[in-house]
Amino acid sequence: MLRLEKLAKTYKTGDQALQAVDIEIPESQVLALIGPSGAGKSTLIRCINRLVEPTSGKVYLGDTELTRLSSGGLRRERRRMGMIFQEYALVERLTVMENVLSGRLGYVGFWRSFMRKFPQSDVDEAFRLLDRVDLAHMADKRADELSGGQRQRIGICRALIQNPALLLVDEPTASLDPKTSRQIMRLICELCRERRLAAIINIHDVALAQMFVQRVIGLRLGSVEFDGPPSGLTPEVLTSIYGEEDWEATIETVDDDDVATQ
Amino acid sequence: MMPTQDLAGSKIWQRRSGRESLFHWILWLLGIAIFAYCWQQISAATTWFFVWDAPRIADDIWTRATPPKWEYITQLGKPIWDTFNIATLGTIFALILAVPVAFLAARNTTPSRLFIRPVALLIIVSTRSINSLIWALLLIAIIGPGVFSGVVAIAIRSIGFCAKLLYEAIEEIDATQVEAISATGASRWQVMAYGIVPQVLPAFAGIAVFRWDINIRESTVLGLVGAGGIGLQLSSSLNVLAWPQVSLILLVILVAVVISEWVSAKVRGAII
Amino acid sequence: MSNQSFDINAKLGKSWKKPPLVQQKWLRWTLLTGFLVYLVLAYWSIDVNWARVYVGLERGQKFILAFTDPDFTSRSADIWEGITESIVMTVASSVVGIAISIPIALGAARNVAPLPVYLVCRGIIAISRALQEIIVAILLVAIFGFGPLAGFLTLSFATIGFLAKLLAEDIESMDRVQAEAIKASGARWAQWINYGVQPQVMPRLIGLSVYRLDINFRESAILGLVGAGGIGATLNTAFDRYEYGTAAAILLIIIVLVMALEYLSGAVRARVQ
């Protein structure tokens, strides 16, 4: 469903963030992207929806080659890719409802969106999504009044209301406490299952990744170092991705103590 | 050499040594020489006889100007209203024009850094560096004396000021919020309306009130060159040496300035 | 997760509106109509003579065209004299204004000065800020006669209000521990200021001084309108005689000098901070 062919990005500063990455993701697969800081995880995700222009290589979403599209075509395809951000990236001075509805911007014209006159079906869908994440009662609060976990749930709603086929998730838990992190990860994975979405989750917490996803890709210095099931993440593999460290403790934490938080 | 002694006395750091010390020494000397030259120029252009006579003249003006002619206030209603209009309408026009200029000048929203941004910056610099009184002079020469010239003068002068502060605010916005809106497939204008405008709105309101406060001050004196408002009364009272009226007008201006500063501080406090 | 009692069905199918900025409906409408009524009234009282404006447009066009062909030569002596006088006034008044501002700023900082001194200095600052340059200039011209002395005094006086206020705020917000450490070593008052306070506020003082130099030059350009010396008088004459070429030349000189000063002050501030 999503195919990256020899995707490469070199920044103007000369940093080679990605070098010839090949990845293929089938329908409704949730994939975790791990790797040390600066391995190119963020760049990879942003090259898919072209928030960052790739230097070379191709990205196919279904049969469409994203890397060839003009700006109008790219906007239409971006609607099929929901994105969730590390620092939530909500527009803080807009209300919760406006933030969720902003996910529909690709579908409505400028004046309708400017006057906040979204189609009734969009408004209903927004309320259903907010209800799904238990935040419907906050709809008219301003986004900056919410806690971190609440904001991330709004961010998820904004991505889902686009009715995407693919979720691009950039460090969803990096600014959250451990308990909220798990709740958010679980929510994302549940929603992907419910809606049969594919997802690329860019995450630095290896234990958390192992807990929820079906497939893990390890990036190191802009190239794929590991690609396989979570159980394949042995200490040797982690060393090859991150460098020498005692990995036993990290892997040990993968027991199911999170049942208690439910 | 008196200056050098002063220099040694007021020299700040004793820990400089060798060439550095010499360099600073020369810099100070140069500064003092420039100041001495400037003072000598001013002194040469001054009729010192009048200056020695100044205390007596000041005392004379003071006795004539007090007490202010209170009943004259009845004739100041319309000029005060005009002054208020010049400042307010001028600010509104300036803001309407400053917003597009600011978006064209900000690095992250300008359509072209190479061609359009320099033009926008030129507009900002040229309107900002010329005082509103000079703009008023110019407009009076073009469209004749009156309140309208004052409004336009204030508007032009304020464009650069408002646009500069606004484009700095635009450049400081959080880019990830904009990124998030672009990622939904929003068009360029939608990104503007949802991602950028909400972030700069508080700054915009603050700038508007701040400039309005300054404009109240400036519009009180525009009348001196004939551009309407209370300055017109000041000018005509000065021409006939009606000092009791002058003192009343100055009092009124002082009160207006204090009130507008108070309003502006209150509103800005409420926004931030 | 949390169990908020919220009936989602009550919301479905209903239209949604952004909550308005002003909650009370009557207040919202009063503000809006009040604003519109004001605009209409204001427009009425301005009484624009559009015919006159239309005639003026032609002259405006001529003036704008004059910028493409400014006339520096025919009144070069007047221009040169005016500009130098402006610069002389700017420099002299900045130096004197800054020199007077420093003690007043110290007096207006509550953490340095005793209360009576504080009140007096704050009073001076308030008066200087409330009176505009041009009004001060009118009064000083009446007292001291025409010429750059009145302008020089005006700008010096205005500098005090600006610089002393900002500097005093800076002194008040400085790091107390550093200053106390000097005091604890048994320094006298002057030594305490010299070693404890001055190093902390020096960069800001330099930055503000250069900025004020910039402002003083801009202001000096208008003081000539009321006879207080500088380029303003020449400019006024040029406008009176409809000599747009000369006026354009003067304005261009002012813009270039202001830009140069702004660049200089930016560079200096970047260096000291």
Side-chain angles (χ1 to χ4, degrees):
Chain A
M1 199 219 59
L2 179 77
R3 202 164 80 246
L4 313 183
E5 283 179 7
K6 301 235 175 308
L7 192 67
K9 171 71 189 177
T10 308
Y11 283 105
K12 273 184 199 152
T13 50
D15 299 333
Q16 279 207 326
L18 294 176
Q19 12 196 333
V21 174
D22 289 299
I23 299 176
E24 183 159 3
I25 301 166
E27 207 90 31
S28 69
Q29 182 183 65
V30 177
L31 175 151
L33 201 58
I34 64 169
S37 314
K41 303 190 300 277
S42 256
T43 309
L44 179 72
I45 279 202
R46 283 174 163 73
C47 277
I48 294 173
N49 64 2
R50 282 172 61 190
L51 283 178
V52 170
E53 250 351 289
T55 321
S56 66
K58 290 173 183 169
V59 179
Y60 288 96
L61 180 67
D63 297 327
T64 323
E65 187 187 337
L66 298 180
T67 34
R68 276 229 322 247
L69 292 173
S70 66
S71 67
L74 176 64
R75 278 213 309 276
R76 265 193 304 283
E77 289 305 315
R78 273 183 179 167
R79 302 188 302 202
R80 295 171 59 203
M81 301 179 280
M83 188 157 175
I84 297 168
F85 291 81
Q86 174 177 355
E87 303 275 355
Y88 334 120
L90 298 184
V91 182
E92 299 197 341
R93 291 201 157 253
L94 294 181
T95 62
V96 165
M97 194 62 180
E98 284 173 294
N99 268 295
V100 176
L101 285 172
S102 69
R104 296 299 293 178
L105 286 175
Y107 295 91
V108 297
F110 175 75
W111 280 110
R112 280 193 90 161
S113 66
F114 185 74
M115 302 306 294
R116 278 27 175 195
K117 291 231 181 302
F118 287 87
Q120 187 62 40
S121 56
D122 290 359
V123 176
D124 286 351
E125 178 63 14
F127 271 118
R128 273 193 219 104
L129 280 167
L130 283 173
D131 192 46
R132 173 69 181 77
V133 300
D134 286 326
L135 286 173
H137 57 288
M138 298 286 225
D140 284 335
K141 285 258 188 321
R142 236 169 61 175
D144 53 5
E145 292 173 52
L146 271 58
S147 71
Q150 289 173 327
R151 289 190 207 190
Q152 194 54 291
R153 272 138 71 190
I154 303 299
I156 293 169
C157 288
R158 176 174 64 190
L160 288 178
I161 202 172
Q162 283 177 237
N163 200 13
L166 169 71
L167 278 187
L168 302 171
V169 190
D170 188 16
E171 300 278 7
T173 61
S175 326
L176 301 173
D177 63 68
K179 186 180 168 201
T180 320
S181 295
R182 286 188 177 199
Q183 289 174 348
I184 290 293
M185 273 302 279
R186 183 177 304 110
L187 183 64
I188 292 175
C189 295
E190 274 175 16
L191 287 165
C192 285
R193 247 197 323 277
E194 278 171 29
R195 296 165 171 253
R196 303 194 47 73
L197 302 178
I200 301 181
I201 303 176
N202 178 345
I203 192 161
H204 66 251
D205 187 337
V206 178
L208 203 57
Q210 281 177 294
M211 214 181 293
F212 290 104
V213 301
Q214 302 130 1
R215 179 180 168 195
V216 175
I217 287 182
L219 274 188
R220 180 193 162 92
L221 297 174
S223 28
V224 176
E225 193 71 30
F226 170 82
D227 186 351
S231 54
L233 285 175
T234 59
E236 294 76 49
V237 170
L238 287 176
T239 302
S240 77
I241 299 173
Y242 287 97
E244 196 65 51
E245 188 57 58
D246 179 16
W247 296 107
E248 290 304 325
T250 313
I251 300 172
E252 285 294 305
T253 56
V254 191
D255 52 344
D256 222 9
D257 67 327
D258 66 303
V259 184
T261 62
Q262 234 168 351
Chain B
M1 284 281 279
M2 278 298 283
T4 51
Q5 263 179 11
D6 278 352
L7 202 75
S10 67
K11 209 170 124 192
I12 302 154
W13 302 109
Q14 297 296 332
R15 56 184 182 192
R16 289 196 191 93
S17 57
R19 277 176 55 187
E20 224 185 14
S21 163
L22 187 72
F23 177 69
H24 275 261
W25 205 78
I26 290 171
L27 217 62
W28 274 102
L29 199 67
L30 197 70
I32 288 166
I34 291 174
F35 177 70
Y37 169 79
C38 290
W39 177 250
Q40 184 249 322
Q41 288 287 309
I42 291 173
S43 168
T46 305
T47 317
W48 285 101
F49 171 74
F50 285 131
V51 178
W52 303 133
D53 207 27
R56 197 186 58 74
I57 297 173
D59 185 53
D60 182 45
I61 291 176
W62 178 254
T63 43
R64 284 175 202 227
T66 47
K69 190 177 165 194
W70 297 109
E71 61 274 17
Y72 185 61
I73 193 102
T74 52
Q75 292 175 49
L76 290 181
K78 172 81 163 104
I80 291 171
W81 166 250
D82 281 344
T83 304
F84 179 76
N85 287 339
I86 291 174
T88 312
L89 295 179
T91 310
I92 292 172
F93 283 131
L95 289 172
I96 293 171
L97 295 169
V99 168
V101 174
F103 275 96
L104 296 178
R107 278 194 200 88
N108 47 354
T109 54
T110 185
S112 153
R113 280 193 199 195
L114 220 55
F115 300 105
I116 297 179
R117 183 159 192 267
V119 174
L121 289 180
L122 183 72
I123 294 175
I124 291 175
V125 166
S126 52
T127 52
R128 234 166 68 84
S129 37
I130 294 177
N131 196 290
S132 52
L133 267 175
I134 297 179
W135 282 116
L137 266 183
L138 168 62
L139 286 156
I140 286 163
I142 293 173
I143 56 178
V147 180
F148 187 58
S149 291
V151 173
V152 180
I154 289 286
I156 295 179
R157 166 73 173 91
S158 311
I159 290 174
F161 181 92
C162 297
K164 178 166 193 278
L165 293 179
L166 193 58
Y167 97 72
E168 283 167 358
I170 295 172
E171 286 183 349
E172 277 167 21
I173 59 172
D174 177 7
T176 56
Q177 296 181 30
V178 182
E179 216 179 23
I181 298 294
S182 321
T184 65
S187 68
R188 194 188 171 90
W189 288 100
Q190 285 174 327
V191 173
M192 195 90 108
Y194 273 75
I196 298 172
V197 170
Q199 292 195 57
V200 296
L201 219 48
F204 176 79
I207 293 165
V209 183
F210 182 36
R211 186 65 220 184
W212 175 79
D213 171 25
I214 298 175
N215 281 347
I216 288 275
R217 285 161 181 263
E218 299 208 337
S219 59
T220 54
V221 293
L222 283 184
L224 292 174
V225 294
I230 197 165
L232 224 50
Q233 261 61 31
L234 180 61
S235 170
S236 55
S237 302
L238 278 170
N239 285 343
V240 296
L241 297 177
W243 288 103
Q245 291 181 24
V246 172
S247 60
L248 180 74
I249 292 169
L250 291 184
L251 267 179
V252 168
I253 291 178
L254 208 61
V255 171
V257 167
V258 169
I259 291 176
S260 76
E261 188 159 332
W262 181 78
V263 169
S264 143
K266 280 279 157 199
V267 174
R268 273 186 291 160
I271 294 168
I272 299 161
Chain C
M1 288 192 194
S2 60
N3 287 317
Q4 285 286 339
S5 56
F6 186 82
D7 187 11
I8 181 70
N9 292 315
K11 290 279 183 184
L12 292 183
K14 302 247 173 64
S15 68
W16 167 85
K17 268 205 197 106
K18 182 186 168 70
L21 190 64
V22 182
Q23 294 294 336
Q24 298 97 323
K25 200 169 180 180
W26 63 269
L27 184 62
R28 190 160 73 239
W29 284 104
T30 319
L31 285 176
L32 197 66
T33 43
F35 181 67
L36 289 177
V37 168
Y38 166 73
L39 280 189
V40 173
L41 281 180
Y43 179 77
W44 267 57
S45 74
I46 284 182
D47 194 23
V48 186
N49 183 350
W50 288 109
R52 176 76 176 78
V53 173
Y54 183 74
V55 175
L57 283 183
E58 195 190 336
R59 247 179 288 174
Q61 200 184 7
K62 242 187 248 165
F63 179 73
I64 290 168
L65 286 179
F67 270 97
T68 59
D69 180 28
D71 177 8
F72 290 97
T73 44
S74 56
R75 300 220 171 261
S76 63
D78 289 347
I79 296 177
W80 176 244
E81 201 178 313
I83 289 286
T84 35
E85 198 165 71
S86 271
I87 294 174
V88 160
M89 273 158 56
T90 306
V91 173
S93 65
S94 298
V95 171
V96 171
I98 292 163
I100 300 174
S101 297
I102 294 168
I104 291 185
L106 284 172
R110 194 63 196 94
N111 54 349
V112 176
L115 188 63
V117 178
Y118 171 79
L119 290 177
V120 170
C121 291
R122 282 282 163 178
I124 296 173
I125 291 175
I127 293 170
S128 161
R129 282 171 53 77
L131 296 172
Q132 292 147 80
E133 279 90 342
I134 201 84
I135 290 178
V136 176
I138 291 172
L139 295 177
L140 290 178
V141 167
I143 295 171
F144 291 101
F146 292 103
L149 184 72
F152 157 75
L153 291 172
T154 305
L155 292 177
S156 306
F157 182 64
T159 305
I160 294 170
F162 174 87
L163 202 69
K165 175 167 190 278
L166 295 177
L167 194 60
E169 277 165 10
D170 200 46
I171 296 173
E172 282 178 344
S173 65
M174 73 179 181
D175 182 10
R176 274 193 30 215
V177 182
Q178 287 183 42
E180 269 168 7
I182 300 292
K183 210 171 202 174
S185 73
R188 278 178 294 146
W189 190 83
Q191 288 171 324
W192 173 53
I193 296 294
N194 191 190
Y195 284 84
V197 180
Q198 189 190 336
Q200 291 194 55
V201 298
M202 205 57 192
R204 181 121 169 100
L205 174 62
I206 294 172
L208 286 173
S209 302
V210 188
Y211 182 42
R212 185 64 215 187
L213 188 76
D214 177 9
I215 299 177
N216 277 347
F217 178 73
R218 287 179 215 208
E219 294 297 332
S220 78
I222 55 162
L223 293 179
L225 301 182
V226 293
I231 189 72
T234 322
L235 189 61
N236 200 5
T237 320
F239 278 126
D240 280 347
R241 294 182 188 153
Y242 296 104
E243 290 174 351
Y244 292 139
T246 306
I250 296 173
L251 290 183
L252 281 177
I253 293 174
I254 294 176
I255 292 175
V256 168
L257 282 173
V258 168
M259 276 171 77
L261 273 173
E262 215 164 72
Y263 178 78
L264 179 81
S265 85
V268 169
R269 272 184 288 176
R271 247 195 87 166
V272 294
Q273 274 159 14

